[in-house]
Amino acid sequence: MELLERQSQLDDLGQHLREAESGSGKVAFIVGEAGAGKSALVEAFAQQLSRDARLVWGACDALQTPRALGPVHEVASALAVASAGSDLTEQSRPQLFARLVDELARRDRLTVVVLEDLHWADEATLDFLRYLGRRIQRTRCLLIATYRDDELAATHPLRRMLGEITGRHSARIRVPSLSLAAVAQLAGGGQRNVERIYRVTCGNAFFVREVLAASGDALPETVRDAVNARLLQCSAGARELAQLVSLSPGRTELWLAEAILGPSGQLIEEAVARGLLRASEDSIAFRHELARLAVETTVPPARAQELHQRIL
């Protein structure tokens, strides 16, 4: 699918790359909600790189037990920084970090390092970012790191790291939702109800793509599965709250949620941190109507009838 409304972000990355090429490395954090198109943006930028630029990738995974330094080891393997006959996992953390920085500081190589999904990073990987971030200006490296800002609780470890990597050698590039005009362009002028698609997706690039690829007005299975995967990461109480809110299009008043489920402050915070709900002073709602529809399908009919009765 065509990449729309991302030229400004591509231009920013291009400027940061030129600075890194001149010997003043940069860290560029790519920020946006899940499905905003962060990976698509980075991939489009990677395709524009010249052959002189060395491109390496590392990814954080949503594992129950995150791999310690998993993405850092991926980058180190690609850069071949291990000594002959040695194992990367056997190197001490200071030794590995120092060897990586030395490699990225080579004056004869321009390197672009991509680390995806920092919201799933382990503490050791965040330590590497701190280490490299304080030395990036002495390298010929553009470090591009993506993360979801709709899944960062106030106490998330990533927030502390982001607060420590600041200054002119660090930048944040936001990937916003698509506009109504962009959704209409992607729809290609067919018979689809563009305004309805925009309303239920709020311009989320992933949701828009999947809805346009689906036939009719049915909820795409890919969207349902993606939303439900996030729902299953919540506690039982937060899932019950999300299911209750899914039965009320629009907003659900806080007093109503508490009248049915009891004190819900912590459950709301959890659902907001998971990127499912958004909260205002007196109500809660889903971030996207399409997500509400997906969660609504998880409510058994008997339970839905019971909740409707209690709402009434």
Side-chain angles (χ1 to χ4, degrees), residues 64-308:
Q64 292 295 328
T65 305
R67 300 172 299 152
L69 290 175
V72 179
H73 286 151
E74 291 177 12
V75 170
S77 295
L79 296 176
V81 301
S83 303
S86 67
D87 187 340
L88 283 172
T89 60
E90 296 176 355
Q91 296 188 35
S92 67
R93 191 175 303 177
Q95 182 183 22
L96 176 61
F97 290 1
R99 290 181 65 88
L100 277 168
V101 170
D102 287 345
E103 178 64 25
L104 297 174
R106 286 176 52 181
R107 311 312 296 175
D108 61 330
R109 298 301 300 267
L110 170 64
T111 305
V112 177
V113 175
V114 179
L115 294 179
E116 294 194 275
D117 297 323
L118 289 188
H119 48 278
W120 292 327
D122 63 287
E123 291 280 5
T125 296
L126 296 180
D127 279 345
F128 169 71
L129 284 166
R130 292 185 179 93
Y131 185 93
L132 177 58
R134 295 191 182 104
R135 296 161 177 80
I136 194 76
Q137 69 272 19
R138 297 192 292 274
T139 72
R140 294 190 70 211
C141 171
L142 171 59
L143 172 63
I144 302 174
T146 71
Y147 69 90
R148 301 175 183 174
D149 62 343
D150 61 338
E151 294 188 25
L152 294 187
T155 57
H156 196 290
L158 177 57
R159 288 196 180 277
R160 177 181 173 186
M161 188 278 295
L162 291 170
E164 295 171 354
I165 307 301
T166 58
R168 68 185 187 89
H169 297 289
S170 171
R172 297 192 192 186
I173 300 175
R174 177 161 293 279
V175 181
S177 299
L178 297 173
S179 68
L180 175 59
V183 174
Q185 185 173 342
L186 291 172
Q191 301 301 314
R192 308 299 292 271
N193 187 330
V194 174
E195 290 188 358
R196 179 182 182 277
I197 293 174
Y198 180 73
R199 185 174 66 254
V200 301
T201 63
C202 294
N204 180 281
F206 169 71
F207 287 164
V208 170
R209 183 182 69 241
E210 296 305 310
V211 169
L212 291 176
S215 58
D217 294 328
L219 178 70
E221 290 187 11
T222 50
V223 171
R224 184 182 61 203
D225 292 344
V227 173
N228 288 344
R230 184 176 296 194
L231 182 67
L232 290 172
Q233 294 175 5
C234 297
S235 66
R239 289 198 300 271
E240 188 175 25
L241 172 67
Q243 290 177 333
L244 172 66
V245 177
S246 76
L247 299 179
S248 302
R251 291 185 168 273
T252 298
E253 292 83 356
L254 292 178
W255 68 261
L256 177 61
E258 294 193 349
I260 295 175
L261 300 178
S264 304
Q266 290 185 340
L267 302 180
I268 292 172
E269 290 180 6
E270 180 184 351
V272 169
R274 291 294 185 186
L276 284 171
L277 302 180
R278 58 187 176 190
S280 62
E281 184 176 346
D282 59 358
S283 63
I284 47 179
F286 274 85
R287 293 177 62 89
H288 307 91
E289 173 65 8
L290 209 60
R292 184 193 71 79
L293 295 172
V295 172
E296 187 180 18
T297 65
T298 70
V299 187
R303 177 59 174 164
Q305 182 177 10
E306 176 191 352
L307 288 174
H308 277 303

